[in-house]
Amino acid sequence: MNNSQTFSSPFLHKLGVLSLLTIVFFSACRENTILPSDLIPPIDNINTFSQDTFTIITNNVYQDSILTGGKRNSTQISSSPNLFHALGTITNDPIFGKTHANIHVEVLPPVPNFSFKSGTNRVIDSVVLSIPYRATYGDTINNSTQTFKLFRSIGTFSKDSAQFEFTKDTIDNTLMSQVAVNLKTMKTDSPLVSGVKLIPQIRFVLPAWFSDSLEAQMTLGTNGAFADFSKYLAWWKGFYIQADSTNGNTIGFFDTYRTKLNIYYRYINTSAQPDTAVDVFAFDPNICNRFNTITRNYTGKIVQNFINSTAPAGDSVLFLQNEPGMSALISMPYLPSFENVIVNKAELIFYAVSYNNFTDTLMYGTIPRLQIFQTDTVGVDNVIPDYNVFGSNIVDGKATQYSINGITLTQYKFAVTYSIQRLISEKNTNFRFKIMGLNNGYPAAYRVILAGNKSSNPLVKPQLKIIYTKIIK
């Protein structure tokens, strides 16, 4: 899976003089750690100190408004070939409840003023909508067969506007097609078409009335849908693929960027000979749009009691998902009043834990990488500047194995030196961190349970570790 940052808005605050000096110094030292060990001043407890007892308060919060299609600001997500769309249902994750995902996708003829092959007596044998399979997330141990239904979209969704996980399609309720898909075996299920073995994909056979509609639009000539792309999209606004919301514990990911509408037909060619052909309408990233509708439902599950927690002292456990879903808010209430120092290195550390004797990795896997961003008291989120200054490999957030007293735990560590320097220098009492699963092109996959600051086990509580040097006045 490809990793990418979720947010793109830069910091808007001005840097203090101390922060500027610090960042210039750090920018010259972009190695595997924030500073090479030989450049970090020795901890002598006279000028340079190490402290890991800073107060951290952690709360659970729901994170929505993930961009799944169209465009927001300068991000044209619908045209990204590395974005895959979720389709399917997880009905009973024992901790995180239900996830349901549906897809809207559009296709266009290969050229404006499209026409079929020259000839006579054309007969359309079949029309098939195909979307390549990419991956599966969820329960692949048990039966993973789900039914997906295809409908005509009648809503207009511009590629230049934003579609989020809560954007709902408007559809004609006439069922066009449906197919039963086994997501457990789909990665090896290669359909055979005209003797050719294709890559794994979902295929919907469209009804005869759709073929008749294509022929009718062709007959209309310049007044029909094939005259130009805008007329086509005005006639056929897209397809909506709906997963059964009551069955399944698996989500499939499909490459909607490579969606195709395959039109198979026979005709008498210009040499007066019987012939066959296939014309392909496809998703065009320059004109078409596509998006995901994803819903989470935590009703009756443990996580429901922690959604948007406002416990002043923090939560004992943190429930995290990839967007959209649960995230964790991290505040450091006393750090703004800390004396001005030069921050040599700052790390935030979290540990995955089991909860209520539930093994988190039983079927659904642990988040392979978390992302961290900054927020404030009114919920405005931005990328932390550490990503731009040091790069994502330095900031990290990947799951690693760590041993405590002979017990191996999953640890997530973030290098946040620059952000902590700014927080201390600017005395910003509104500053918060937020963490959740990295949106790496597979929305709604993965989750993990972390220990919160109110955990009864002091060994797995979140830590903020800072090595700093006092400023000689």
Side-chain angles (χ1 to χ4, degrees):
M1 293 187 181
N2 297 320
N3 292 326
S4 60
Q5 286 183 228
T6 301
F7 300 92
S8 58
S9 300
F11 263 115
L12 299 179
H13 302 294
K14 293 182 178 179
L15 298 177
V17 173
L18 179 60
S19 297
L20 280 170
L21 292 173
T22 303
I23 197 58
V24 169
F25 180 63
F26 286 168
S27 295
C29 307
R30 297 166 75 165
E31 305 294 337
N32 292 328
T33 57
I34 293 300
L35 285 178
S37 58
D38 58 341
L39 292 182
I40 296 177
I43 299 169
D44 56 14
N45 293 320
I46 299 174
N47 297 307
T48 300
F49 301 81
S50 176
Q51 185 172 337
D52 60 6
T53 57
F54 294 97
T55 298
I56 300 174
I57 297 177
T58 57
N59 293 99
N60 289 277
V61 60
Y62 186 81
Q63 177 75 16
D64 60 2
S65 300
I66 171 180
L67 189 68
T68 67
K71 180 180 181 180
R72 186 183 189 189
N73 299 325
S74 61
T75 302
Q76 185 76 59
I77 193 71
S78 61
S79 63
S80 170
N82 296 319
L83 171 68
F84 310 107
H85 280 144
L87 180 64
T89 302
I90 292 176
T91 58
N92 191 29
D93 182 320
I95 296 293
F96 289 83
K98 182 176 179 178
T99 299
H100 182 55
N102 304 316
I103 293 172
H104 168 100
V105 65
E106 301 164 9
V107 296
L108 280 174
V111 293
N113 197 25
F114 167 82
S115 62
F116 293 107
K117 298 289 189 298
S118 296
T120 60
N121 300 334
R122 181 176 57 250
V123 176
I124 297 178
D125 291 316
S126 64
V127 181
V128 178
L129 183 74
S130 63
I131 308 176
Y133 163 84
R134 184 70 183 188
T136 295
Y137 168 73
D139 180 5
T140 56
I141 300 173
N142 301 301
N143 179 33
S144 300
T145 300
Q146 297 186 40
T147 298
F148 300 145
K149 297 180 178 181
L150 184 71
F151 297 91
R152 179 181 187 175
S153 174
I154 57 176
T156 300
F157 300 93
S158 169
K159 74 175 184 65
D160 295 319
S161 62
Q163 288 81 45
F164 301 95
E165 89 285 351
F166 51 77
T167 302
K168 295 185 181 299
D169 206 344
T170 306
I171 65 172
D172 180 334
N173 287 315
T174 302
L175 178 65
M176 294 188 68
S177 182
Q178 67 179 32
V179 60
V181 174
N182 187 342
L183 292 170
K184 178 180 179 180
T185 62
M186 193 169 192
K187 66 180 179 181
T188 57
D189 291 341
S190 301
L192 195 66
V193 178
S194 300
V196 178
K197 193 173 185 180
L198 306 180
I199 63 172
Q201 57 190 258
I202 186 171
R203 293 175 66 85
F204 292 97
V205 179
L206 275 60
W209 64 258
F210 181 78
S211 301
D212 295 340
S213 296
L214 289 174
E215 291 284 18
Q217 292 299 320
M218 181 64 68
T219 302
L220 291 173
T222 57
N223 294 319
F226 295 123
D228 58 51
F229 291 154
S230 61
K231 285 185 177 180
Y232 183 89
L233 288 176
W235 168 66
W236 200 270
K237 300 179 185 300
F239 294 98
Y240 178 68
I241 308 171
Q242 182 184 73
D244 182 356
S245 63
T246 62
N247 177 60
N249 271 317
T250 314
I251 288 176
F253 289 93
F254 293 88
D255 191 356
T256 50
Y257 187 89
R258 292 170 177 81
T259 299
K260 294 180 179 179
L261 185 70
N262 307 279
I263 306 170
Y264 301 91
Y265 59 96
R266 47 197 160 90
Y267 66 109
I268 303 300
N269 63 28
T270 54
S271 300
Q273 297 297 314
D275 206 346
T276 61
V278 55
D279 283 320
V280 177
F281 295 8
F283 174 81
D284 185 337
N286 298 309
I287 302 173
C288 297
N289 198 7
R290 60 190 177 118
F291 65 86
N292 236 166
T293 300
I294 303 171
T295 57
R296 305 278 202 184
N297 188 335
Y298 306 107
T299 302
K301 303 301 178 182
I302 295 172
V303 69
Q304 183 180 21
N305 300 323
F306 290 86
I307 297 175
N308 296 332
S309 166
T310 56
D315 292 327
S316 59
V317 287
L318 305 173
F319 301 91
L320 270 60
Q321 296 173 295
N322 278 16
E323 293 178 296
M326 296 298 294
S327 65
L329 191 67
I330 299 104
S331 59
M332 298 145 288
Y334 305 116
L335 204 55
S337 60
F338 195 70
E339 65 178 307
N340 280 333
V341 296
I342 295 175
V343 178
N344 301 303
K345 187 175 184 179
E347 294 178 326
L348 266 173
I349 302 171
F350 301 88
Y351 296 97
V353 295
S354 178
Y355 189 70
N356 278 15
N357 297 317
F358 172 69
T359 303
D360 190 51
T361 59
L362 184 63
M363 292 181 182
Y364 301 103
T366 296
I367 294 175
R369 190 171 194 170
L370 296 177
Q371 61 181 338
I372 185 168
F373 44 101
Q374 70 177 58
T375 187
D376 57 25
T377 53
V378 295
V380 177
D381 300 334
N382 283 292
V383 169
I384 62 169
D386 305 71
Y387 281 115
N388 294 325
V389 174
F390 302 115
S392 60
N393 287 334
I394 296 296
V395 178
D396 202 8
K398 293 188 292 292
T400 59
Q401 299 303 301
Y402 186 81
S403 180
I404 298 179
N405 291 344
I407 299 174
T408 300
L409 299 173
T410 298
Q411 180 191 79
Y412 297 91
K413 182 187 294 185
F414 297 97
V416 289
T417 305
Y418 181 49
S419 292
I420 294 299
Q421 180 69 76
R422 291 193 60 173
L423 172 58
I424 292 174
S425 300
E426 297 177 0
K427 310 301 180 186
N428 185 355
T429 58
N430 293 320
F431 185 93
R432 309 285 188 274
F433 284 120
K434 189 184 286 184
I435 60 172
M436 69 181 312
L438 176 68
N439 179 14
N440 55 0
Y442 294 82
Y446 300 117
R447 78 288 193 280
V448 72
I449 303 172
L450 304 181
N453 71 289
K454 293 299 290 182
S455 171
S456 59
N457 184 351
L459 295 178
V460 295
K461 287 184 177 183
Q463 290 179 297
L464 172 60
K465 292 185 176 182
I466 301 178
I467 298 176
Y468 62 91
T469 299
K470 289 188 175 183
I471 299 174
I472 301 175
K473 300 178 181 179

